[in-house]
């Protein structure tokens, strides 16, 4: 039995939904093989890192898969790298907007994702889902959560594998902005099922 934490985020930046939050309601995997704990993270520098590291400490999962929205995407982005910086483009949900904030003064400049990203990429392609490896998770809360989880796992010497996946808007988020790209929930659900079965 593999223990997995799956995280999504609350809505942010004027949106009323976040596709990563919706995804948490549609986790579909074999309960004989996987024990999944969904966790919703706040879009705040103050709490997001604390919530995910406490969950890792409490649950001691085999895997952490975090999801977040990147509104510029029309595909699934498998993040390979987390950087040791927050340089916020917009204020977070607490109104805080840190610039040039080093996440851990003693930490490395970056961590690699420890998820099997090449296998996941291959399996998503075979499932007909547009996917690309990404070499920057940005410098906002998603990168912050990815770095915080990997740094905590490293410091504690846990065997947990962890990484981050960015996803596009849902179609209903494009009605007022039809030039936005989106991915339908049914495809996102298939993506999540494929990612879990790749572990
Ligand atoms: N996306 C943001 C934060 C929350 C989310 O879903 C990001 O890419 O940092």
């Amino acid at each position: 039995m593999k223990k997995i934490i799956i995280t999504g985020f609350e809505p942010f930046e004027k949106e009323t939904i976040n596709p990563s939050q919706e995804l948490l309601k549609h986790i579909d995997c074999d309960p004989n093989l996987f024990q999944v704990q969904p966790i919703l993270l706040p879009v705040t520098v103050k709490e997001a890192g604390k919530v995910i590291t406490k969950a890792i400490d409490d649950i001691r999962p085999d895997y952490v898969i975090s999801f977040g929205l990147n509104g510029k995407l029309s595909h699934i982005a498998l993040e390979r790298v987390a950087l040791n910086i927050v340089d916020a483009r917009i204020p977070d949900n607490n109104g805080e907007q840190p610039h040039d904030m080093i996440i851990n003064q003693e930490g490395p400049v970056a961590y690699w994702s420890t998820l099997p990203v090449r296998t996941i990429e291959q399996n998503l392609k075979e499932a007909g889902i547009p996917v690309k490896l990404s070499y920057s998770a940005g410098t906002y809360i998603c990168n912050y959560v990815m770095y915080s989880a990997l740094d905590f796992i490293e410091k504690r010497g846990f065997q947990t594998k962890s990484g981050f996946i960015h996803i596009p808007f849902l179609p209903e988020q494009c009605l007022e902005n039809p030039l936005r790209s989106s991915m339908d929930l049914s495809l996102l659900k298939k993506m999540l099922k494929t990612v879990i079965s790749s572990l």
Side-chain angles (χ1 to χ4, degrees):
M1 173 74 82
K2 288 172 182 165
K3 274 198 274 181
I4 311 177
I5 289 177
I6 296 183
T7 73
F9 279 105
E10 289 174 347
F12 68 107
E13 199 187 9
K14 297 184 205 146
E15 297 299 316
T16 52
I17 55 173
N18 189 321
S20 65
Q21 176 175 17
E22 300 309 306
L23 205 52
L24 296 184
K25 301 172 194 161
H26 300 280
I27 297 167
D28 175 17
C29 59
D30 185 346
N32 297 313
L33 297 179
F34 302 102
Q35 185 188 322
V36 179
Q37 179 64 55
I39 295 175
L40 183 65
L41 300 176
V43 184
T44 65
V45 178
K46 204 166 176 188
E47 287 113 356
K50 285 186 194 141
V51 175
I52 195 164
T53 53
K54 181 171 188 312
I56 295 168
D57 212 14
D58 290 348
I59 297 167
R60 305 286 174 98
D62 299 293
Y63 295 94
V64 179
I65 315 169
S66 296
F67 289 92
L69 165 68
N70 177 344
K72 294 196 180 78
L73 297 179
S74 54
H75 62 276
I76 300 300
L78 303 175
E79 302 299 346
R80 290 208 105 168
V81 189
L83 294 178
N84 189 3
I85 191 167
V86 176
D87 193 17
R89 175 179 63 86
I90 49 169
D92 70 11
N93 286 356
N94 276 340
E96 287 181 41
Q97 189 174 3
H99 291 296
D100 305 336
M101 184 191 107
I102 302 303
I103 299 168
N104 179 358
Q105 292 289 347
E106 273 99 55
V109 168
Y111 283 103
W112 297 114
S113 167
T114 47
L115 292 179
V117 285
R118 281 286 179 200
T119 307
I120 296 171
E121 181 195 30
Q122 188 60 34
N123 291 344
L124 288 177
K125 275 189 184 163
E126 279 165 22
I129 300 164
V131 57
K132 205 171 178 308
L133 296 176
S134 163
Y135 292 85
S136 173
T139 55
Y140 194 45
I141 314 290
C142 292
N143 172 74
Y144 173 61
V145 158
M146 183 180 177
Y147 188 95
S148 300
L150 287 162
D151 190 48
F152 183 76
I153 291 162
E154 174 73 19
K155 274 191 298 201
R156 290 295 176 97
F158 293 165
Q159 294 304 306
T160 307
K161 309 280 186 224
S162 181
F164 201 97
I165 300 176
H166 266 116
I167 60 178
F169 285 120
L170 287 166
E172 55 263 46
Q173 294 179 281
C174 306
L175 297 174
E176 302 301 319
N177 283 296
L179 292 179
R180 283 179 171 179
S181 301
S182 66
M183 191 175 279
D184 186 67
L185 186 60
S186 61
L187 207 54
L188 288 172
K189 278 155 61 176
K190 190 173 169 192
M191 177 278 296
L192 179 55
K193 195 172 181 182
T194 307
V195 170
I196 294 173
S197 64
S198 304
L199 301 178

Short mmCIF file of all heavy atoms in Angstrom, two decimals, residues 7-12 15-26 40 67-71 76 165-173 180-185 188-189 191-192:
data_model
loop_
_atom_site.label_atom_id
_atom_site.label_comp_id
_atom_site.label_asym_id
_atom_site.label_seq_id
_atom_site.Cartn_x
_atom_site.Cartn_y
_atom_site.Cartn_z
N THR A 7 -2.05 17.54 -3.05
CA THR A 7 -2.47 18.88 -2.64
C THR A 7 -3.00 19.68 -3.84
O THR A 7 -2.58 19.48 -4.97
CB THR A 7 -1.32 19.68 -1.98
OG1 THR A 7 -0.36 20.09 -2.97
CG2 THR A 7 -0.62 18.88 -0.90
N GLY A 8 -3.94 20.59 -3.51
CA GLY A 8 -4.46 21.57 -4.46
C GLY A 8 -4.51 22.90 -3.74
O GLY A 8 -4.27 22.97 -2.52
N PHE A 9 -4.84 23.96 -4.48
CA PHE A 9 -4.87 25.30 -3.88
C PHE A 9 -6.26 25.91 -3.90
O PHE A 9 -7.07 25.63 -4.80
CB PHE A 9 -3.96 26.26 -4.66
CG PHE A 9 -2.51 26.16 -4.31
CD1 PHE A 9 -1.63 25.52 -5.17
CD2 PHE A 9 -2.02 26.69 -3.12
CE1 PHE A 9 -0.27 25.44 -4.86
CE2 PHE A 9 -0.68 26.61 -2.81
CZ PHE A 9 0.20 25.99 -3.68
N GLU A 10 -6.47 26.79 -2.95
CA GLU A 10 -7.67 27.64 -2.95
C GLU A 10 -7.60 28.59 -4.17
O GLU A 10 -6.52 28.80 -4.72
CB GLU A 10 -7.71 28.48 -1.67
CG GLU A 10 -8.02 27.64 -0.45
CD GLU A 10 -7.92 28.45 0.84
OE1 GLU A 10 -7.39 29.58 0.82
OE2 GLU A 10 -8.39 27.93 1.86
N PRO A 11 -8.75 29.20 -4.54
CA PRO A 11 -8.71 30.19 -5.62
C PRO A 11 -7.85 31.40 -5.24
O PRO A 11 -7.67 31.68 -4.05
CB PRO A 11 -10.18 30.61 -5.77
CG PRO A 11 -10.98 29.52 -5.14
CD PRO A 11 -10.12 28.97 -4.04
N PHE A 12 -7.33 32.08 -6.23
CA PHE A 12 -6.53 33.30 -6.00
C PHE A 12 -6.71 34.22 -7.19
O PHE A 12 -7.30 33.83 -8.21
CB PHE A 12 -5.05 32.96 -5.77
CG PHE A 12 -4.34 32.43 -6.99
CD1 PHE A 12 -3.42 33.19 -7.68
CD2 PHE A 12 -4.63 31.15 -7.46
CE1 PHE A 12 -2.78 32.71 -8.81
CE2 PHE A 12 -3.99 30.66 -8.60
CZ PHE A 12 -3.07 31.43 -9.28
N GLU A 15 -10.11 34.83 -9.20
CA GLU A 15 -10.83 33.65 -9.65
C GLU A 15 -11.71 33.12 -8.51
O GLU A 15 -11.36 33.26 -7.34
CB GLU A 15 -9.86 32.54 -10.08
CG GLU A 15 -8.98 32.91 -11.25
CD GLU A 15 -9.79 33.21 -12.51
OE1 GLU A 15 -10.72 32.46 -12.82
OE2 GLU A 15 -9.46 34.21 -13.18
N THR A 16 -12.84 32.51 -8.86
CA THR A 16 -13.70 31.95 -7.81
C THR A 16 -13.45 30.45 -7.64
O THR A 16 -13.89 29.85 -6.66
CB THR A 16 -15.19 32.19 -8.13
OG1 THR A 16 -15.44 31.72 -9.45
CG2 THR A 16 -15.55 33.66 -8.02
N ILE A 17 -12.79 29.84 -8.63
CA ILE A 17 -12.41 28.44 -8.48
C ILE A 17 -10.94 28.26 -8.84
O ILE A 17 -10.36 29.11 -9.52
CB ILE A 17 -13.27 27.48 -9.35
CG1 ILE A 17 -13.23 27.90 -10.82
CG2 ILE A 17 -14.69 27.41 -8.87
CD1 ILE A 17 -13.92 26.91 -11.74
N ASN A 18 -10.37 27.16 -8.36
CA ASN A 18 -9.02 26.78 -8.76
C ASN A 18 -9.11 25.33 -9.26
O ASN A 18 -9.58 24.47 -8.51
CB ASN A 18 -8.05 26.89 -7.57
CG ASN A 18 -6.60 26.71 -7.99
OD1 ASN A 18 -6.28 25.88 -8.84
ND2 ASN A 18 -5.72 27.50 -7.40
N PRO A 19 -8.71 25.05 -10.50
CA PRO A 19 -8.84 23.68 -11.02
C PRO A 19 -8.14 22.65 -10.13
O PRO A 19 -8.60 21.49 -10.05
CB PRO A 19 -8.20 23.74 -12.41
CG PRO A 19 -7.58 25.07 -12.53
CD PRO A 19 -8.15 25.97 -11.49
N SER A 20 -7.08 23.07 -9.43
CA SER A 20 -6.37 22.11 -8.57
C SER A 20 -7.21 21.75 -7.35
O SER A 20 -7.11 20.64 -6.82
CB SER A 20 -5.02 22.69 -8.14
OG SER A 20 -5.16 23.83 -7.33
N GLN A 21 -8.08 22.67 -6.92
CA GLN A 21 -9.01 22.37 -5.82
C GLN A 21 -10.11 21.41 -6.31
O GLN A 21 -10.47 20.46 -5.62
CB GLN A 21 -9.66 23.66 -5.31
CG GLN A 21 -10.70 23.44 -4.23
CD GLN A 21 -11.24 24.74 -3.64
OE1 GLN A 21 -11.10 25.80 -4.23
NE2 GLN A 21 -11.85 24.65 -2.48
N GLU A 22 -10.60 21.66 -7.52
CA GLU A 22 -11.65 20.78 -8.09
C GLU A 22 -11.11 19.36 -8.25
O GLU A 22 -11.83 18.39 -7.99
CB GLU A 22 -12.12 21.32 -9.45
CG GLU A 22 -12.73 22.71 -9.41
CD GLU A 22 -13.82 22.84 -8.34
OE1 GLU A 22 -14.76 22.02 -8.37
OE2 GLU A 22 -13.74 23.74 -7.49
N LEU A 23 -9.85 19.26 -8.63
CA LEU A 23 -9.23 17.95 -8.85
C LEU A 23 -9.24 17.10 -7.58
O LEU A 23 -9.39 15.88 -7.66
CB LEU A 23 -7.79 18.18 -9.33
CG LEU A 23 -7.08 17.12 -10.15
CD1 LEU A 23 -7.93 16.69 -11.35
CD2 LEU A 23 -5.72 17.62 -10.60
N LEU A 24 -9.13 17.74 -6.43
CA LEU A 24 -9.10 17.00 -5.16
C LEU A 24 -10.41 16.25 -4.91
O LEU A 24 -10.45 15.29 -4.14
CB LEU A 24 -8.85 17.95 -3.98
CG LEU A 24 -7.51 18.68 -3.92
CD1 LEU A 24 -7.42 19.50 -2.63
CD2 LEU A 24 -6.34 17.72 -4.01
N LYS A 25 -11.49 16.72 -5.57
CA LYS A 25 -12.80 16.07 -5.37
C LYS A 25 -12.96 14.86 -6.29
O LYS A 25 -13.98 14.19 -6.26
CB LYS A 25 -13.93 17.06 -5.69
CG LYS A 25 -13.90 18.32 -4.84
CD LYS A 25 -14.93 19.33 -5.35
CE LYS A 25 -14.71 20.70 -4.75
NZ LYS A 25 -15.37 21.76 -5.53
N HIS A 26 -11.97 14.63 -7.16
CA HIS A 26 -12.12 13.58 -8.20
C HIS A 26 -10.92 12.65 -8.22
O HIS A 26 -10.38 12.36 -9.29
CB HIS A 26 -12.32 14.24 -9.56
CG HIS A 26 -13.54 15.10 -9.63
ND1 HIS A 26 -14.80 14.59 -9.80
CD2 HIS A 26 -13.68 16.43 -9.50
CE1 HIS A 26 -15.67 15.58 -9.80
NE2 HIS A 26 -15.03 16.70 -9.61
N LEU A 40 -6.06 20.68 0.90
CA LEU A 40 -6.23 21.97 0.24
C LEU A 40 -5.30 22.98 0.90
O LEU A 40 -5.32 23.15 2.13
CB LEU A 40 -7.69 22.42 0.37
CG LEU A 40 -8.05 23.72 -0.34
CD1 LEU A 40 -7.90 23.59 -1.85
CD2 LEU A 40 -9.49 24.13 0.01
N PHE A 67 -0.57 20.07 -6.93
CA PHE A 67 -1.12 20.64 -8.14
C PHE A 67 -1.42 22.12 -7.94
O PHE A 67 -1.81 22.54 -6.84
CB PHE A 67 -2.42 19.93 -8.54
CG PHE A 67 -2.21 18.54 -9.04
CD1 PHE A 67 -2.27 17.46 -8.16
CD2 PHE A 67 -1.93 18.30 -10.38
CE1 PHE A 67 -2.06 16.17 -8.62
CE2 PHE A 67 -1.72 17.01 -10.84
CZ PHE A 67 -1.79 15.95 -9.96
N GLY A 68 -1.26 22.90 -9.01
CA GLY A 68 -1.61 24.32 -8.97
C GLY A 68 -1.95 24.80 -10.36
O GLY A 68 -1.64 24.13 -11.36
N LEU A 69 -2.60 25.94 -10.41
CA LEU A 69 -3.00 26.54 -11.69
C LEU A 69 -1.86 27.37 -12.28
O LEU A 69 -1.23 28.15 -11.56
CB LEU A 69 -4.21 27.46 -11.45
CG LEU A 69 -4.58 28.44 -12.56
CD1 LEU A 69 -5.10 27.71 -13.80
CD2 LEU A 69 -5.61 29.45 -12.06
N ASN A 70 -1.64 27.20 -13.58
CA ASN A 70 -0.86 28.18 -14.34
C ASN A 70 -1.73 28.57 -15.52
O ASN A 70 -1.91 27.79 -16.46
CB ASN A 70 0.48 27.59 -14.82
CG ASN A 70 1.26 28.58 -15.67
OD1 ASN A 70 0.71 29.58 -16.15
ND2 ASN A 70 2.54 28.30 -15.89
N GLY A 71 -2.31 29.77 -15.46
CA GLY A 71 -3.28 30.23 -16.45
C GLY A 71 -2.72 30.43 -17.85
O GLY A 71 -3.47 30.67 -18.78
N ILE A 76 -0.39 19.99 -19.56
CA ILE A 76 0.06 19.65 -18.21
C ILE A 76 1.57 19.92 -18.13
O ILE A 76 2.32 19.46 -19.00
CB ILE A 76 -0.20 18.15 -17.92
CG1 ILE A 76 -1.70 17.83 -18.03
CG2 ILE A 76 0.37 17.73 -16.58
CD1 ILE A 76 -2.58 18.61 -17.08
N ILE A 165 2.93 19.69 -10.18
CA ILE A 165 2.36 19.67 -11.54
C ILE A 165 1.45 20.89 -11.71
O ILE A 165 0.52 21.09 -10.92
CB ILE A 165 1.56 18.36 -11.77
CG1 ILE A 165 2.50 17.14 -11.61
CG2 ILE A 165 0.89 18.37 -13.14
CD1 ILE A 165 1.80 15.78 -11.72
N HIS A 166 1.73 21.69 -12.74
CA HIS A 166 0.87 22.83 -13.05
C HIS A 166 -0.17 22.43 -14.09
O HIS A 166 0.13 21.67 -15.03
CB HIS A 166 1.69 24.01 -13.60
CG HIS A 166 2.11 25.00 -12.56
ND1 HIS A 166 3.42 25.23 -12.21
CD2 HIS A 166 1.36 25.83 -11.76
CE1 HIS A 166 3.47 26.15 -11.26
NE2 HIS A 166 2.23 26.53 -10.96
N ILE A 167 -1.39 22.94 -13.92
CA ILE A 167 -2.49 22.60 -14.83
C ILE A 167 -3.16 23.88 -15.35
O ILE A 167 -3.05 24.94 -14.71
CB ILE A 167 -3.54 21.68 -14.14
CG1 ILE A 167 -4.16 22.35 -12.89
CG2 ILE A 167 -2.88 20.37 -13.73
CD1 ILE A 167 -5.23 21.49 -12.19
N PRO A 168 -3.86 23.80 -16.51
CA PRO A 168 -4.52 24.99 -17.07
C PRO A 168 -5.84 25.32 -16.37
O PRO A 168 -6.30 24.58 -15.50
CB PRO A 168 -4.81 24.59 -18.53
CG PRO A 168 -4.14 23.29 -18.76
CD PRO A 168 -3.95 22.64 -17.41
N PHE A 169 -6.44 26.42 -16.82
CA PHE A 169 -7.80 26.78 -16.38
C PHE A 169 -8.80 25.69 -16.76
O PHE A 169 -8.58 24.94 -17.72
CB PHE A 169 -8.27 28.05 -17.10
CG PHE A 169 -7.67 29.33 -16.62
CD1 PHE A 169 -6.93 30.14 -17.49
CD2 PHE A 169 -7.86 29.78 -15.31
CE1 PHE A 169 -6.39 31.35 -17.07
CE2 PHE A 169 -7.32 30.99 -14.89
CZ PHE A 169 -6.59 31.78 -15.76
N LEU A 170 -9.93 25.66 -16.07
CA LEU A 170 -11.09 24.89 -16.51
C LEU A 170 -11.88 25.72 -17.53
O LEU A 170 -11.83 26.96 -17.48
CB LEU A 170 -12.00 24.57 -15.31
CG LEU A 170 -11.47 23.52 -14.34
CD1 LEU A 170 -12.27 23.53 -13.05
CD2 LEU A 170 -11.52 22.13 -14.98
N PRO A 171 -12.62 25.08 -18.45
CA PRO A 171 -13.36 25.83 -19.47
C PRO A 171 -14.28 26.91 -18.89
O PRO A 171 -14.41 28.00 -19.46
CB PRO A 171 -14.16 24.75 -20.20
CG PRO A 171 -13.36 23.52 -20.01
CD PRO A 171 -12.74 23.62 -18.64
N GLU A 172 -14.90 26.63 -17.72
CA GLU A 172 -15.82 27.64 -17.16
C GLU A 172 -15.10 28.91 -16.72
O GLU A 172 -15.72 29.95 -16.51
CB GLU A 172 -16.66 27.06 -16.02
CG GLU A 172 -15.89 26.44 -14.88
CD GLU A 172 -15.77 24.92 -15.02
OE1 GLU A 172 -15.44 24.44 -16.12
OE2 GLU A 172 -16.01 24.22 -14.02
N GLN A 173 -13.77 28.84 -16.58
CA GLN A 173 -13.00 30.04 -16.22
C GLN A 173 -12.64 30.87 -17.46
O GLN A 173 -12.00 31.91 -17.33
CB GLN A 173 -11.70 29.63 -15.50
CG GLN A 173 -11.96 28.98 -14.15
CD GLN A 173 -10.67 28.57 -13.48
OE1 GLN A 173 -10.08 27.55 -13.80
NE2 GLN A 173 -10.20 29.38 -12.53
N ARG A 180 -8.37 32.68 -23.30
CA ARG A 180 -7.63 31.80 -22.39
C ARG A 180 -7.64 30.37 -22.89
O ARG A 180 -8.59 29.94 -23.54
CB ARG A 180 -8.31 31.80 -21.00
CG ARG A 180 -8.03 33.02 -20.17
CD ARG A 180 -8.78 32.89 -18.85
NE ARG A 180 -8.40 33.92 -17.90
CZ ARG A 180 -8.93 34.03 -16.69
NH1 ARG A 180 -9.88 33.20 -16.29
NH2 ARG A 180 -8.52 34.98 -15.87
N SER A 181 -6.61 29.62 -22.52
CA SER A 181 -6.59 28.18 -22.82
C SER A 181 -7.14 27.42 -21.63
O SER A 181 -7.03 27.88 -20.49
CB SER A 181 -5.16 27.71 -23.08
OG SER A 181 -4.62 28.42 -24.14
N SER A 182 -7.70 26.24 -21.88
CA SER A 182 -8.27 25.46 -20.78
C SER A 182 -8.13 23.96 -21.04
O SER A 182 -7.79 23.54 -22.14
CB SER A 182 -9.76 25.80 -20.61
OG SER A 182 -10.48 25.37 -21.74
N MET A 183 -8.41 23.19 -19.99
CA MET A 183 -8.47 21.74 -20.11
C MET A 183 -9.69 21.27 -19.33
O MET A 183 -9.92 21.69 -18.20
CB MET A 183 -7.19 21.10 -19.55
CG MET A 183 -7.07 19.62 -19.89
SD MET A 183 -5.51 18.89 -19.36
CE MET A 183 -4.41 19.38 -20.68
N ASP A 184 -10.46 20.40 -20.00
CA ASP A 184 -11.71 19.93 -19.42
C ASP A 184 -11.47 19.04 -18.18
O ASP A 184 -10.47 18.33 -18.10
CB ASP A 184 -12.42 19.11 -20.52
CG ASP A 184 -13.78 18.68 -20.09
OD1 ASP A 184 -14.64 19.56 -19.93
OD2 ASP A 184 -13.98 17.48 -19.87
N LEU A 185 -12.41 19.09 -17.25
CA LEU A 185 -12.25 18.33 -16.00
C LEU A 185 -12.11 16.82 -16.25
O LEU A 185 -11.35 16.15 -15.55
CB LEU A 185 -13.44 18.60 -15.05
CG LEU A 185 -13.34 17.98 -13.66
CD1 LEU A 185 -12.10 18.47 -12.89
CD2 LEU A 185 -14.60 18.27 -12.83
N LEU A 188 -8.59 16.23 -17.00
CA LEU A 188 -7.79 16.42 -15.78
C LEU A 188 -7.92 15.21 -14.86
O LEU A 188 -6.95 14.78 -14.23
CB LEU A 188 -8.21 17.70 -15.04
CG LEU A 188 -7.80 19.02 -15.69
CD1 LEU A 188 -8.44 20.20 -14.97
CD2 LEU A 188 -6.28 19.18 -15.72
N LYS A 189 -9.14 14.65 -14.79
CA LYS A 189 -9.35 13.46 -13.94
C LYS A 189 -8.54 12.27 -14.47
O LYS A 189 -7.92 11.53 -13.71
CB LYS A 189 -10.84 13.10 -13.91
CG LYS A 189 -11.61 13.95 -12.91
CD LYS A 189 -13.07 14.09 -13.20
CE LYS A 189 -13.89 12.85 -13.22
NZ LYS A 189 -15.33 13.15 -13.41
N MET A 191 -5.86 12.53 -16.23
CA MET A 191 -4.46 12.88 -15.97
C MET A 191 -4.07 12.44 -14.55
O MET A 191 -3.04 11.78 -14.35
CB MET A 191 -4.31 14.39 -16.14
CG MET A 191 -2.96 14.99 -15.86
SD MET A 191 -2.59 15.30 -14.13
CE MET A 191 -3.80 16.54 -13.69
N LEU A 192 -4.92 12.77 -13.58
CA LEU A 192 -4.60 12.44 -12.17
C LEU A 192 -4.50 10.92 -11.99
O LEU A 192 -3.57 10.42 -11.34
CB LEU A 192 -5.66 13.04 -11.25
CG LEU A 192 -5.48 12.76 -9.76
CD1 LEU A 192 -4.09 13.19 -9.27
CD2 LEU A 192 -6.56 13.47 -8.93
#
